Amino acid sequence: FQIALATDGDRSFTFFLYHDLQWAGPSYTRPPYAQAGFNAGDGIAFEMLPHSRTADIVRSVNESNVNVPGLFAFRVDRPIIDTGGCSENT
């Protein structure tokens, strides 16, 4: 997988790209399961990818929040994290 952080000085984004999850393959059939996401460290701002901490984490390679299989985007420069990179008002 790849993680990219991008900013233009005003807006900041986090991108997760999952092409192959070898670390969460069929041999991981019992807890603890893999967890994917990020945490601001403040106990408030965090985002977990779908199926985190479940046996279905391997489905991340086929799912997305921006209609590109395996790609998850989040806008992270504001107090509330915008899933998919933008809010409805943007």
Side-chain angles (χ1 to χ4, degrees), residues 21 23-25 28-30 33-36 49-63 72:
L21 293 180
W23 49 268
Y28 296 94
T29 57
R30 62 180 196 259
Y33 298 111
Q35 178 174 316
L49 295 187
H51 313 297
S52 282
R53 302 183 73 188
T54 74
D56 289 332
I57 188 68
V58 294
R59 293 175 53 190
S60 296
V61 299
N62 298 315
E63 297 186 7
F72 296 86

Side-chain angles (χ1 to χ4, degrees), residues 4-89:
L5 305 172
T7 186
D8 65 0
D10 292 321
R11 295 170 296 267
S12 298
F13 298 88
T14 300
F15 300 94
F16 291 84
L17 179 59
Y18 292 92
H19 174 67
D20 185 16
L21 293 180
Q22 295 174 357
W23 49 268
S27 63
Y28 296 94
T29 57
R30 62 180 196 259
Y33 298 111
Q35 178 174 316
F38 58 91
N39 185 325
D42 62 4
I44 299 169
F46 67 91
E47 190 69 37
M48 300 307 297
L49 295 187
H51 313 297
S52 282
R53 302 183 73 188
T54 74
D56 289 332
I57 188 68
V58 294
R59 293 175 53 190
S60 296
V61 299
N62 298 315
E63 297 186 7
S64 174
N65 64 359
V66 290
N67 297 322
V68 176
L71 179 62
F72 296 86
F74 303 92
R75 185 169 176 184
V76 295
D77 59 272
R78 303 188 307 186
I80 297 175
I81 298 166
D82 288 323
T83 303
C86 297
S87 69
E88 294 179 16
N89 296 327

